[in-house]
Amino acid sequence: MSANTERRIILGSASPRRRELLAGLDVEFTVDTGNSFIENIDPSVEAHKLPVMMAEGKSDGFHRELEDDELLITADTVVIFPETGEVLGKPHSRNEAVEMIRKLSGRTHEVLTAVTFRTPGGRTTITDSTLVTFRKLNGDEISYYVDRYRPYDKAGAYGVQEWIGYVAIERIEGSFYNVMGFPVHKVYEMIFSNKNQYKTH
């Protein structure tokens, strides 16, 4: 399939997980993270609109104009508590990471990812949602994970594919890969099934 894509795909993300997952679709792509967009969670924005705003901001902030045969893919993931609308982004310190996982402990949260596809002719943004339930974690477990894995580049301060995913997650409703930050089933569909149907807005 990789040789038959009509556009040259650019992944505008520094995330090694998104790079790994896109490569798993057997498509050829390059990574280009040149961007002027500043990631900042705006508390005035409704929680479920945040990842769309961020993914489209990253797309619009790409450092150069796209060529006619190029497709730029950008993405953003947030962790939300459905009952309160509280958003967990990426932690900026050890204390923040510990506090985030304490909040996740024994509760169900939503992982929402937005992926923006842009060509010179327009763009389309898709979203995917997954519910994740953590068992109750003790302080030693939380400290061990944060100190060993240093999850400072991950929304909600955890990686589902790491140790904490093995020991803490009781239930997942939706795409596992969406929790990693890239709903690959929908990305595949956009690249191959709808590759020429990017809307202008």
Side-chain angles (χ1 to χ4, degrees):
M1 298 293 288
S2 60
N4 295 325
T5 54
E6 294 181 1
R7 296 187 181 274
R8 290 185 291 141
I9 298 171
I10 303 167
L11 178 62
S13 172
S15 166
R17 294 164 297 281
R18 291 191 181 116
R19 183 173 183 170
E20 175 188 352
L21 291 173
L22 184 57
L25 295 180
D26 289 346
V27 297
E28 295 178 359
F29 65 96
T30 58
V31 176
D32 189 338
T33 59
N35 208 297
S36 62
F37 181 71
I38 299 174
E39 293 188 47
N40 185 35
I41 293 179
D42 185 345
S44 68
V45 177
E46 182 183 338
H48 285 82
K49 295 180 180 178
L50 269 174
V52 172
M53 183 187 75
M54 300 285 275
E56 292 183 347
K58 293 174 184 178
S59 182
D60 293 341
F62 192 62
H63 67 101
R64 63 171 176 82
E65 295 294 321
L66 295 177
E67 297 181 14
D68 289 344
D69 64 342
E70 289 181 326
L71 168 63
L72 175 65
I73 301 176
T74 54
D76 192 77
T77 300
V78 297
V79 170
I80 304 169
F81 290 112
E83 66 273 18
T84 64
E86 181 182 1
V87 175
L88 300 185
K90 298 174 184 176
H92 298 103
S93 66
R94 181 188 186 278
N95 288 342
E96 254 189 57
V98 168
E99 182 59 27
M100 284 185 182
I101 298 176
R102 280 180 180 159
K103 288 181 177 181
L104 296 172
S105 175
R107 299 171 68 185
T108 296
H109 61 274
E110 179 183 10
V111 180
L112 184 62
T113 299
V115 185
T116 297
F117 303 81
R118 183 164 66 86
T119 69
R123 74 181 183 196
T124 295
T125 300
I126 62 168
T127 60
D128 199 35
S129 173
T130 305
L131 294 177
V132 181
T133 302
F134 270 34
R135 71 168 177 82
K136 193 72 176 175
L137 297 166
N138 62 46
D140 288 341
E141 291 169 327
I142 294 172
S143 294
Y144 171 81
Y145 174 68
V146 171
D147 292 338
R148 176 72 181 269
Y149 290 89
R150 302 179 62 82
Y152 304 126
D153 64 335
K154 299 175 177 67
Y158 80 95
V160 66
Q161 73 280 12
E162 295 176 340
W163 177 86
I164 197 167
Y166 298 161
V167 305
I169 293 178
E170 293 183 333
R171 185 170 66 254
I172 293 179
E173 300 173 54
S175 166
F176 173 87
Y177 297 108
N178 183 58
V179 185
M180 288 180 67
F182 211 52
V184 284
H185 62 297
K186 289 190 173 183
V187 172
Y188 178 87
E189 182 179 0
M190 287 298 298
I191 291 174
F192 289 100
S193 300
N194 300 310
K195 55 193 170 188
N196 294 315
Q197 299 180 26
Y198 304 106
K199 298 178 292 185
T200 300
H201 48 262

